[in-house]
Amino acid sequence: MQHLYWRQIIFSCFLFCFASISNAQRNEIHQQDHDYETYWFGMNYGYAFSFNDYVRGGNFKPGNPTIGQVTSIYYNTNPSFQLGLSGTLRLKNKLLLRTNPMVFIGAKNIDKFTILKVNGEEQDYVVTPSTILHLPISLKLESDRYNFMNQPNLLRHYIFSGIKYDYDFSSGAVTYGSSLSSASPNIFKSGNFGYELGLGMSFFLKYATISPEVKFSYGITDMRKPGTNFFSSLDKLHANFISFTIHLEN
């Protein structure tokens, strides 16, 4: 199902861009003053695919587990819808500072675990909903404009990297399988610091700039709450995501 979401997003984005380009006047350079603006604002929307990264610890020993220890983990990714605003400040000619606060409202991640019991192994799960406030700040380096589809100075590409803080409003709404519900009332933290990087391209149309981009965001905070026995066989638990975003700027 995930590849279908990606195809729909990418197809819609380029269809919109190409339709706008085809209606534009040929040989007309749009937004010529944009390269000299000091700051500007915009909005964005898209999809993010979140996943938990379980870092196995020294106690995670296949072939020699202890009772109650997790012996295998299967985690998946689910898409969430994202909506936000953006503000950009020009530091130098091609070097920009951008902040891009967003809200992720997503589907639930269902991570499956295999736990060693006295009478053998038992399957269980943890369901984590996703309602996240995403607060990033990044440096953005962009190229010169170049011609595209016989339109002068229509397109430029860019890369960016920065830091971020995520706050999960739904961390207390985690649900568990039968063997974990009584022992693990809340095992995840709400706040998550991290870093991110990505790339994109900007189409300069007559009345707006459309910028589709891909971003990879990695958490560095150990999301396990202290005293969580369920994750004793792990060293760390990180919350990451990959997002596809379309920025609309004036």
Side-chain angles (χ1 to χ4, degrees):
M1 291 297 294
Q2 295 174 15
H3 68 281
L4 295 179
Y5 283 105
W6 280 104
R7 289 180 181 178
Q8 292 172 358
I9 296 170
I10 295 173
F11 178 77
S12 300
C13 174
F14 282 99
L15 181 64
F16 184 82
C17 292
F18 292 159
S20 301
I21 293 170
S22 63
N23 292 329
Q25 296 182 8
R26 298 297 181 186
N27 301 321
E28 179 183 356
I29 300 178
H30 301 310
Q31 303 187 57
Q32 299 185 52
D33 297 334
H34 185 274
D35 293 350
Y36 306 100
E37 293 180 347
T38 304
Y39 63 90
W40 59 90
F41 302 96
M43 61 176 296
N44 55 80
Y45 65 94
Y47 275 96
F49 296 86
S50 60
F51 59 95
N52 294 323
D53 182 17
Y54 297 91
V55 181
R56 273 69 166 172
N59 293 329
F60 198 94
K61 301 176 181 178
N64 188 28
T66 59
I67 301 299
Q69 180 180 317
V70 176
T71 58
S72 67
I73 303 173
Y74 171 79
Y75 57 89
N76 60 357
T77 59
N78 284 306
S80 60
F81 179 75
Q82 63 184 46
L83 182 66
L85 303 173
S86 64
T88 305
L89 174 67
R90 188 180 303 279
L91 301 178
K92 290 187 177 181
N93 186 24
K94 297 294 186 297
L95 183 63
L96 314 174
L97 180 68
R98 185 182 73 176
T99 181
N100 182 29
M102 291 184 287
V103 175
F104 296 164
I105 302 175
K108 297 178 179 179
N109 285 345
I110 304 177
D111 295 347
K112 299 179 181 179
F113 303 86
T114 302
I115 305 171
L116 183 64
K117 298 294 184 178
V118 176
N119 298 324
E121 292 183 333
E122 179 179 315
Q123 298 290 328
D124 221 316
Y125 62 89
V126 173
V127 182
T128 56
S130 177
T131 304
I132 298 173
L133 176 63
H134 177 61
L135 302 173
I137 185 168
S138 58
L139 289 174
K140 177 180 173 183
L141 183 63
E142 58 184 17
S143 70
D144 293 326
R145 292 203 205 183
Y146 51 90
N147 301 342
F148 184 70
M149 293 185 65
N150 297 322
Q151 185 74 20
N153 292 344
L154 175 69
L155 181 64
R156 70 158 38 114
H157 55 270
Y158 62 87
I159 57 175
F160 63 92
S161 179
I163 58 175
K164 57 107 176 191
Y165 176 76
D166 295 334
Y167 185 85
D168 192 347
F169 293 99
S170 57
S171 61
V174 178
T175 56
Y176 309 89
S178 58
S179 65
L180 303 177
S181 57
S182 60
S184 306
N186 189 2
I187 59 178
F188 295 110
K189 297 177 182 177
S190 298
N192 183 24
F193 287 96
Y195 63 95
E196 56 188 24
L197 49 91
L199 69 162
M201 60 182 68
S202 296
F203 295 86
F204 291 89
L205 307 181
K206 189 170 184 178
Y207 298 110
T209 303
I210 300 177
S211 303
E213 73 176 31
V214 177
K215 179 166 67 175
F216 303 88
S217 181
Y218 301 96
I220 60 176
T221 301
D222 186 358
M223 299 303 292
R224 302 175 302 168
K225 280 197 169 182
T228 304
N229 295 327
F230 175 58
F231 289 136
S232 60
S233 59
L234 305 176
D235 273 351
K236 294 179 182 179
L237 193 163
H238 295 150
N240 308 322
F241 67 84
I242 301 173
S243 66
F244 183 89
T245 309
I246 299 176
H247 293 267
L248 302 175
E249 300 171 329
N250 57 3

